Amino acid sequence: MIRKLMFALALSLLALSASAQNASRTGGDKRSAESAGPAATRGSRAARPAEARTAEEGVRERINSGTVGLAAGLLEGAPLRFATEISRVVNQSGKVHVLPIVTRGPTENVNDLLYLKGIDIAIINSDSLDEYRAQVPEIEKRIVHVMNLFPSELHVFVRPEINSLADLAGKKVNFNSQGTAAAYSGPLIFSRLGIEVEKTFVPHPVALEQMRKGEMAAVVFVTSKPVDAFVKRKWDEGFKFLPVPLGPKLADYYVSASLTPADYPALVPAGQDIETIAVPTVLVAYNWNPGTPRYDRVTAFVNELFSRLDQLRASGFDPKWKDANPAASAPGLQRLKAAESWQDAQMANRAGRR
């Protein structure tokens, strides 16, 4: 009797062990399927219909074949706003998918365009190429100009005792935070003019307070006018902008500009425009070889963008789209063939209508 009981108990234990092992294997298989994702789970039950697989592959191919990566800029900057508005308009056709990308700023987008995978176009400042010319031979053949977007005017704002750029020599001058247009273009401009200053790179609101207290001689802005800090804030008598004329030392990257009473009624006397320079902010592309898929994508992008500029110049978009000029040149940059061809065709059409 005891033997029978022991035999039955052994059988029960064997059955329980086998059941546990089977449950363990089943649980492991389920976790593997779940970790592999929904497709793997579905595939374990039944193969997906061939039609569904083909349709999905078609969508994937269409999206990727039409996508261009656009290196824009910092979240708070105008370049990213322009890039977002470009994508809103160009993506409407379904032929091109513009993907705006947040970057460290237009002065560093040259690096992204040269080396970052997936980047076909970028927004840069025209003088951003300066530091690359020694490092990247024939860079002007690798990065080409699509169109001018907007000018970023140089604002050299100084204390009452400063009357000329030469007076700033050896004094503390702020060029905004690192990564901004002022932090790159400002020191470059001062260096070209041969003016050595004590450079600081703190946020402009902080620097303006230091300047008001006499702790700093000047602040340098490189941005589109008008600047709120000079329009909405009251400044004591004597605070002013210095003129910076366009001369031979600056003509390779910059263009002439002015700060007018209409821009800054409290700081610029009536009838006394202040001469300055501007850094063109431009849309550029990598110069892909003709006949390659990336070249075709950029060409399609240019055709869609140029044909929809009137939409961008309408209300609801940045007012500075009215300054965007597909026909203008950019100092130091060659023209993208697709942009040149589009412009030639427009000129031919206008000539034919006369």
Side-chain angles (χ1 to χ4, degrees), residues 342-354:
W342 191 92
Q343 191 62 32
D344 290 345
Q346 291 297 108
M347 293 177 66
N349 288 339
R350 284 195 292 268
R353 290 195 295 267
R354 289 174 185 169

Side-chain angles (χ1 to χ4, degrees), residues 145-202:
H145 174 241
V146 176
M147 70 177 293
N148 287 16
L149 293 178
F150 56 88
S152 295
E153 289 84 8
L154 174 69
H155 300 65
V156 181
F157 190 60
V158 300
R159 286 187 50 79
E161 64 270 19
I162 304 297
N163 294 304
S164 69
L165 290 172
D167 291 344
L168 291 174
K171 294 184 172 60
K172 190 177 289 188
V173 177
N174 190 62
F175 295 96
N176 208 357
S177 305
Q178 293 285 5
T180 63
Y184 178 82
S185 299
L188 179 60
I189 291 167
F190 272 64
S191 175
R192 287 181 163 224
L193 294 174
I195 301 170
E196 292 293 330
V197 299
E198 182 183 343
K199 296 184 285 289
T200 66
F201 299 92
V202 299

